[in-house]
């Protein structure tokens, strides 16, 4: 799609708009709150690790498959198990209805009134997973029309932070590789920010925890976000305004 000269703002989904930690609510039904929080954190760790390992091996699996396999890994590492395949399926369905962060709703309400921005979703998730979340999640679906497009990595069969996924975003936005700097990534994941910067995009890191930027992989300005915000609404003010 063409951006019509608007500022393209590509929002990461998992860990930026949706809280992956919120799956602990479903896990707690089986294991209690304390164990559920540990499983949720381990699940997310291996979900991401699996994508990076697949990138390194030049292989691809759908994010839905990765999510389910990393769940089993997390359960095994915590010496836990689910009672049935139905319980696993229920958790996978719940992953399509993760809670949004508290600052998401007011930010998307503000974006709905913007005429000079083109907000899109840009995610590792499969088209089905992301579409389910955007269009059917109780907390995110009221704002589905804010997003002008959903761009996933399925077609390119790589995961963030592989350069090809950011070029794939550019292609979908009607941009060439020489125009990467005309797009903004908004992400709560440092690896995503560094990946975007490596191909010339502008990037906002959402630092909700207030810990400050500590990623040391790439030195200098190319290894840091252009903007660090504590709340998502600051993105609209700084980039979309």
């Amino acid at each position: 799609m063409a951006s019509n000269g608007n500022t393209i703002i590509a929002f990461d989904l998992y860990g930026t708009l949706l809280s992956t930690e919120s799956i602990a609510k479903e896990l707690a039904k089986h294991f209690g709150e304390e164990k559920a929080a540990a499983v949720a954190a381990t699940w997310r760790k291996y979900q991401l690790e699996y994508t990076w390992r697949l990138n390194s091996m030049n292989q691809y699996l759908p994010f839905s498959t990765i999510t389910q396999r990393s769940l089993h890994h997390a359960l095994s590492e915590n010496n836990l198990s689910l009672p049935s395949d139905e319980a696993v399926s229920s958790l996978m369905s719940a992953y399509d209805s993760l809670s949004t962060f508290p600052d998401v709703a007011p930010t998307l309400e503000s974006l709905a009134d913007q005429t000079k921005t083109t907000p899109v979703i840009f995610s590792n998730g499969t088209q089905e997973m992301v579409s389910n979340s955007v269009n059917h999640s109780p907390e995110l679906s009221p704002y589905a029309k804010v997003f002008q497009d959903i761009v996933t990595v399925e077609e390119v069969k790589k995961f963030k932070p592989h350069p090809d996924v950011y070029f794939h975003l550019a292609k979908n936005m009607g941009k060439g590789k020489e125009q990467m700097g005309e797009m903004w990534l908004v992400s709560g994941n440092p690896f995503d920010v560094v990946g975007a910067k490596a191909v010339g995009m502008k990037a906002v890191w959402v630092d909700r925890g207030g810990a400050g930027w500590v990623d040391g992989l790439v030195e200098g300005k190319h290894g840091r976000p252009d903007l660090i915000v504590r709340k998502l609404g600051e993105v609209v003010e700084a980039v979309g305004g």
Side-chain angles (χ1 to χ4, degrees), residues 122 124 151 153 156 158-170:
F122 174 47
N124 271 340
V151 181
V153 303
V156 72
K158 296 288 192 300
F159 294 102
K160 300 175 180 182
H162 196 286
D164 286 355
V165 305
Y166 302 97
F167 295 142
H168 177 62
L169 170 68

Side-chain angles (χ1 to χ4, degrees), residues 93-211:
S93 295
Y95 216 89
D96 290 342
S97 296
L98 294 172
S99 299
T100 58
F101 289 97
D103 56 359
V104 170
T107 300
L108 297 183
E109 288 174 1
S110 177
L111 270 176
D113 297 327
Q114 293 281 332
T115 59
K116 297 182 179 180
T117 59
T118 299
V120 299
I121 295 285
F122 174 47
S123 176
N124 271 340
T126 64
Q127 196 74 25
E128 181 179 8
M129 288 178 73
V130 177
S131 294
N132 282 343
S133 291
V134 172
N135 295 309
H136 303 299
S137 170
E139 295 185 12
L140 191 57
S141 60
Y143 308 101
K145 292 183 179 180
V146 171
F147 302 106
Q148 302 301 305
D149 202 357
I150 293 175
V151 181
T152 71
V153 303
E154 272 190 298
E155 184 178 338
V156 72
K157 296 190 184 317
K158 296 288 192 300
F159 294 102
K160 300 175 180 182
H162 196 286
D164 286 355
V165 305
Y166 302 97
F167 295 142
H168 177 62
L169 170 68
K171 180 180 178 181
N172 276 268
M173 295 295 101
K175 300 290 185 182
K177 291 183 179 180
E178 72 283 357
Q179 297 172 299
M180 299 302 290
E182 297 177 17
M183 302 184 299
W184 283 87
L185 172 79
V186 178
S187 181
N189 299 301
F191 72 88
D192 195 10
V193 168
V194 175
K197 291 291 293 181
V199 297
M201 285 182 68
K202 296 177 182 176
V204 180
W205 179 48
V206 186
D207 179 22
R208 291 187 175 94

Side-chain angles (χ1 to χ4, degrees), residues 11 16 103 107 184 186-188 203-212 225-239:
F11 288 90
T16 303
D103 56 359
T107 300
W184 283 87
V186 178
S187 181
V204 180
W205 179 48
V206 186
D207 179 22
R208 291 187 175 94
D226 296 277
L227 181 66
I228 298 174
V229 299
R230 290 290 304 275
K231 294 183 178 181
L232 202 63
E234 297 173 51
V235 173
V236 180
E237 298 171 10
V239 178

Side-chain angles (χ1 to χ4, degrees), residues 22-80:
S22 66
I23 196 64
K25 297 175 186 176
E26 292 298 317
L27 289 164
K29 296 177 182 178
H30 299 281
F31 310 119
E33 291 185 6
E34 185 174 346
K35 289 182 179 179
V39 172
T42 309
W43 187 359
R44 176 61 169 168
K45 179 180 76 171
Y46 286 121
Q47 182 192 52
L48 291 175
E49 182 182 312
Y50 282 11
T51 63
W52 300 331
R53 286 161 60 184
L54 286 165
N55 273 353
S56 296
M57 296 186 293
N58 198 30
Q59 296 181 24
Y60 176 80
L61 289 170
F63 199 64
S64 53
T65 301
I66 290 170
T67 300
Q68 184 164 331
R69 291 184 183 181
S70 56
L71 166 61
H72 288 297
H73 192 158
L75 291 171
S76 296
E77 187 165 299
N78 285 275
N79 297 311
L80 298 169

